């Protein structure tokens, strides 16, 4: 590794490892894929978040996905820290945050998963009400019912597919939070 000093050559090797890791992922060999992604990351230069941002983000995003897939929560935490400190925008952190929330859920840390999920949603501009009584919940359910009243199944099915990647990610977080809420706080589930 130290013998290869040319940054273009190092980036090329990192990129080849990214391709090999993606191929391993496509064959569901997440352990092998993770080793390719980590090997590729080791070829990134010291200042890779500035000099080779897109490649860095993709390597670390894929590493996080694989670490989550094989249940290596410690590695996922280490990878997440790097992305959270190096990513340029909140949107670039979403994949790693999603895997982190999913990892908390899998570790039966439901309250932490819910709180982190709600925090991410709030950062995306989605602030869900947190009702404190049955009356508030029933009121929100009725509000939703009246909004949907008059819409046929066909009308709902003919809506345009969502293409906004941020909204799609928000839906993934909502889905993950909903699973946690079902297990911990059924009263809150109708809101999500």
């Amino acid at each position: 590794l130290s013998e290869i000093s040319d940054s273009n050559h190092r980036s090329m090797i990192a990129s080849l490892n990214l391709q090999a890791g993606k191929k391993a992922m496509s064959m569901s060999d997440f352990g092998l894929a993770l080793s390719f992604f980590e090997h590729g990351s080791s070829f990134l230069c010291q200042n890779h978040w500035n000099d080779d941002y897109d490649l860095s983000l993709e390597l670390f995003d894929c590493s996080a996905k694989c670490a989550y897939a094989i249940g290596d929560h410690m590695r996922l935490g280490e990878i997440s820290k790097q992305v959270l400190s190096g990513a340029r925008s909140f949107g670039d952190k979403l994949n790693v945050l999603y895997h982190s929330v999913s990892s908390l859920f899998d570790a039966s840390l439901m309250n932490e998963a819910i709180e982190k999920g709600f925090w991410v949603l709030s950062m995306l501009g989605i602030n869900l009400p947190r009702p404190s009584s049955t009356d508030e919940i029933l009121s929100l359910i009725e509000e939703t019912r009246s909004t949907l009243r008059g819409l046929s199944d066909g009308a709902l099915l003919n809506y345009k597919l969502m293409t906004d990647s941020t909204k799609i990610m928000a839906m993934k977080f909502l889905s993950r939070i909903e699973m946690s809420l079902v297990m911990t706080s059924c009263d809150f589930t109708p809101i999500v």
Side-chain angles (χ1 to χ4, degrees), residues 42-191:
S42 71
F43 279 92
L44 295 171
C45 65
Q46 183 74 23
N47 201 20
H48 62 92
W49 286 110
N50 288 325
D51 298 340
D52 221 343
Y53 182 78
D54 291 335
L55 178 59
S56 298
L57 184 62
E58 193 167 8
L59 278 166
F60 282 93
D61 268 354
C62 289
S63 295
K65 184 175 189 172
C66 289
Y68 172 68
I70 63 173
D72 193 336
H73 304 292
M74 296 288 284
R75 233 161 166 178
L76 175 59
E78 293 165 11
I79 295 164
S80 296
K81 284 180 190 171
Q82 291 196 46
V83 174
L84 295 176
S85 68
R88 293 179 183 161
S89 70
F90 189 74
D92 287 347
K93 299 175 184 181
L94 287 174
N95 286 326
V96 165
L97 288 168
Y98 179 75
H99 296 308
S100 296
V101 168
S102 296
S103 177
L104 290 169
F105 175 78
D106 293 348
S108 296
L109 299 170
M110 303 303 172
N111 289 332
E112 289 90 337
I114 292 166
E115 287 307 312
K116 192 169 199 172
F118 275 126
W119 174 76
V120 170
L121 289 171
S122 73
M123 295 298 291
L124 294 173
I126 299 168
N127 297 301
L128 297 174
R130 295 195 182 201
S132 58
S133 71
T134 304
D135 289 340
E136 281 184 77
I137 292 171
L138 292 173
S139 172
L140 289 166
I141 291 171
E142 186 52 42
E143 183 181 322
T144 302
R145 189 176 291 148
S146 79
T147 300
L148 296 175
R149 192 171 286 127
L151 286 175
S152 67
D153 291 346
L156 288 172
L157 291 172
N158 286 326
Y159 273 11
K160 286 189 330 183
L161 286 178
M162 188 181 305
T163 57
D164 182 329
S165 60
T166 303
K167 298 281 188 205
I168 291 169
M169 206 61 185
M171 293 300 292
K172 287 177 72 173
F173 276 96
L174 283 166
S175 173
R176 181 51 77 174
I177 290 170
E178 194 271 337
M179 286 191 287
S180 300
L181 285 170
V182 165
M183 295 180 169
T184 60
S185 177
C186 290
D187 291 345
F188 204 168
T189 305
I191 307 311

Side-chain angles (χ1 to χ4, degrees), residues 8-68:
N8 289 333
H9 194 154
R10 292 174 72 91
S11 289
M12 183 188 72
I13 294 170
S15 184
L16 289 171
N17 275 276
L18 175 64
Q19 290 174 25
K22 285 181 173 182
K23 182 67 174 174
M25 278 178 67
S26 75
M27 295 185 297
S28 299
D29 192 342
F30 295 102
L32 179 61
L34 180 58
S35 66
F36 277 120
F37 297 138
E38 288 182 335
H39 188 69
S41 297
S42 71
F43 279 92
L44 295 171
C45 65
Q46 183 74 23
N47 201 20
H48 62 92
W49 286 110
N50 288 325
D51 298 340
D52 221 343
Y53 182 78
D54 291 335
L55 178 59
S56 298
L57 184 62
E58 193 167 8
L59 278 166
F60 282 93
D61 268 354
C62 289
S63 295
K65 184 175 189 172
C66 289
Y68 172 68

